[in-house]
Amino acid sequence: MIEWLYSKIFIAIVPEGENFDVRVVTFKRKKLLTKENKYFEGQSSFEMMMKFLRKQIQESPLHYIAILNPDAKQGALSGCSFNEFDNVLTVCRKNKWHLYTSLQEVETLKKTYSDVGIDFIFSPFSVIEHFFVDKIDTGFALYALAQKDSLSIAFFDEGILEYAHHYPNHAKEVTLSKEEVGSEFTVGIDDELENQKGIDLDDIESLDDLDIIDELDSLSDIEDLDTLEDIVEFHEDEPTLEEKNSVVQNLDEIKQEMDHFNDDYGRFEIIQKTLEHFYASKECRNRFVETIYIADAYGSGSELKRYLEEELFLNVLIRRINVGDEVISLSMNEEEG
């Protein structure tokens, strides 16, 4: 009866480092009323977001807040028979595979959002499964969710997840190591675990170590154009303020392009290393990945697609994804039971 009187509000929070992407969708009697997106960044991003959330939930008692799990140590493994580990929360999926995350992280999230309440915490791998529902059951393939500051990778075979790992801050130094939840083939960020039992493999090299095209070296000289009056040949024809602003804008565009190159190559390296160690493990069972499906949440994966096709000879399918929308869809599924 109450559903006929009040609208339902679904809120999705997608953390991006210190920033937050928030999606709000309102329904009444299953009819879509409103959709709204807010992005909070800067030093007061969390406080501003909480103020916004408090205002939203005052609109109706039927509100549901979900967050994409930001835990750096989360992952997923095949099977639902596993040993209990201290401070590790596990959730079985379809009696075939399970998600794991830090129990401490879950408790921290609940405490952090206690003013508004968190109803659902979703894994990036649940997002992958939901987003590629039309592909998951079609055979053996690699799936990835590429966000601005993270990369989540999962192997599915005929709808069964065999292994998955979440790589936060993908551009930082990365190692491949044995996870504490246990598996013959596991890949992860090795920071706090480096003193625990396991084998630390070679770090993925930073893009700074690459030999970038020689012609691009001259780009650094463009900065000198800000002091054109000091250059004799340009002194008599000093650029206007508009021309100088155009140069600065061009420099910003060049920097963005180089940062994007860095992001795509960093993701490529992680995928490459993950495949190498999968092929070296007994879980491989003479299988080879022919296709990778990428959910692209950061705007463009053209360079990543080129690297994967030319270097690893993979078939690459890239789909743009709004992660907030997927989290909303998962929340609605859970609310409907």
Side-chain angles (χ1 to χ4, degrees), residues 46 162 217 219 235 249 273 281:
F46 180 76
E162 297 198 354
D217 292 339
L219 290 177
H235 185 72
Q249 182 179 353
K273 287 289 186 180
S281 72

Side-chain angles (χ1 to χ4, degrees), residues 221-239:
D221 298 332
I222 296 179
E223 297 177 357
D224 296 334
L225 293 177
D226 290 336
T227 56
L228 290 175
E229 62 270 23
D230 296 332
I231 304 177
V232 176
E233 55 267 37
F234 291 120
H235 185 72
E236 295 180 358
D237 188 17
E238 184 174 347

Side-chain angles (χ1 to χ4, degrees), residues 182-323:
S183 176
E184 291 298 324
F185 168 66
T186 55
V187 184
I189 304 296
D190 186 16
D191 44 11
E192 298 175 358
L193 298 179
E194 62 185 358
N195 293 323
Q196 298 183 14
K197 184 178 180 180
I199 301 174
D200 296 339
L201 302 172
D202 293 336
D203 292 343
I204 292 177
E205 297 176 355
S206 169
L207 184 65
D208 294 337
D209 297 330
L210 296 175
D211 294 326
I212 302 177
I213 302 173
D214 293 337
E215 287 81 352
L216 294 179
D217 292 339
S218 62
L219 290 177
S220 59
D221 298 332
I222 296 179
E223 297 177 357
D224 296 334
L225 293 177
D226 290 336
T227 56
L228 290 175
E229 62 270 23
D230 296 332
I231 304 177
V232 176
E233 55 267 37
F234 291 120
H235 185 72
E236 295 180 358
D237 188 17
E238 184 174 347
T240 64
L241 179 60
E242 182 179 351
E243 290 172 332
K244 287 186 177 183
N245 289 337
S246 177
V247 169
V248 173
Q249 182 179 353
N250 289 337
L251 285 173
D252 290 339
E253 291 175 355
I254 291 170
K255 183 179 183 301
Q256 290 176 4
E257 290 179 2
M258 294 304 294
D259 288 343
H260 184 70
F261 174 83
N262 182 27
D263 289 342
D264 276 350
Y265 198 86
R267 292 181 176 93
F268 164 74
E269 287 188 307
I270 291 175
I271 293 171
Q272 182 184 41
K273 287 289 186 180
T274 302
L275 285 169
E276 287 176 359
H277 288 274
F278 173 75
Y279 292 145
S281 72
K282 68 180 184 180
E283 277 76 11
C284 177
R285 302 197 300 274
N286 294 322
R287 294 173 300 172
F288 289 89
V289 174
E290 296 180 357
T291 303
I292 178 171
Y293 299 95
I294 300 174
D296 174 19
Y298 69 101
S300 175
S302 58
E303 289 301 306
L304 176 59
K305 183 176 187 293
R306 181 172 66 83
Y307 298 141
L308 293 170
E309 289 176 339
E310 294 181 0
E311 301 295 329
L312 302 182
F313 308 106
L314 292 172
N315 299 317
V316 183
L317 173 67
I318 296 180
R319 288 182 183 173
R320 288 284 289 117
I321 182 175
N322 184 305
V323 179

Side-chain angles (χ1 to χ4, degrees), residues 94 126-138 143 156 159 319 326 333:
K94 300 180 178 179
S126 295
V127 171
I128 290 174
E129 181 189 30
H130 183 266
F131 188 64
F132 287 113
V133 66
D134 61 321
K135 301 295 183 183
I136 291 291
D137 294 328
T138 60
Y143 296 81
F156 277 90
R319 288 182 183 173
E326 295 303 308
N333 291 342

